[in-house]
Amino acid sequence: MAAALQERTAAEIRKDLMLRVIAHRLQGQEFGGLSDAGCRLLRQLATMFEADPNAVVSSQPLIKPGTRLVRQWKEQVHVVKVEAEGYEYRGARYENLSEIARLITGTRWSGPAFFGLNAKQPNASEEAQ
């Protein structure tokens, strides 16, 4: 993107876009830029959209079919099997994890949060402490 912006003159770029670019760069200088994982994800998305501009990006974490998610809740262990199209829990199929989390807890939960998929993975320095 930086190369594309350098090819244009400032007059060719809409003012609101230029303000956003400048704000983004200032924020990066002040608080640090994107993580390596964030850069990789953006490169993957760019490649995907280059190949198919109408591609749809899911906000759900990518979990390989066959994976088993295990969660203990109130002294009971719950196992969910990830399938290609949805999830299997106690012999029934569900479209999303939130349905299963709600069934287990009786309250509204984010399924990915309930099963620990939103948890930040510790980096090497955090593990050493």
Side-chain angles (χ1 to χ4, degrees), residues 3-43:
L5 289 177
Q6 290 172 353
E7 291 174 8
R8 299 180 187 175
T9 65
E12 294 174 326
I13 300 174
R14 291 189 345 239
K15 182 180 177 181
D16 61 325
L17 177 59
M18 182 60 81
L19 289 173
R20 289 173 191 247
V21 169
I22 292 169
H24 175 73
R25 288 191 181 166
L26 289 173
Q27 182 177 348
Q29 288 173 356
E30 182 69 24
F31 301 106
L34 286 173
S35 65
D36 290 341
C39 289
R40 276 193 306 275
L41 177 60
L42 286 176
R43 277 190 224 101

Side-chain angles (χ1 to χ4, degrees), residues 24-111:
H24 175 73
R25 288 191 181 166
L26 289 173
Q27 182 177 348
Q29 288 173 356
E30 182 69 24
F31 301 106
L34 286 173
S35 65
D36 290 341
C39 289
R40 276 193 306 275
L41 177 60
L42 286 176
R43 277 190 224 101
Q44 289 172 350
L45 289 171
T47 302
M48 182 180 75
F49 284 120
E50 220 171 66
D52 179 8
N54 297 318
V56 177
V57 179
S58 173
S59 63
Q60 296 194 359
L62 183 60
I63 310 168
K64 292 182 181 180
T67 301
R68 294 191 185 278
L69 305 174
V70 181
R71 174 67 150 87
Q72 182 173 347
W73 179 259
K74 295 191 177 180
E75 299 179 19
Q76 192 172 24
V77 176
H78 300 274
V79 180
V80 173
K81 182 180 176 189
V82 178
E83 297 180 344
E85 296 292 324
Y87 304 90
E88 185 267 329
Y89 174 67
R90 292 188 175 171
R93 291 182 41 80
Y94 297 88
E95 287 187 31
N96 62 62
L97 288 173
S98 295
E99 292 178 82
I100 300 169
R102 197 170 304 124
L103 183 66
I104 293 169
T105 65
T107 60
R108 285 193 154 310
W109 268 79
S110 158

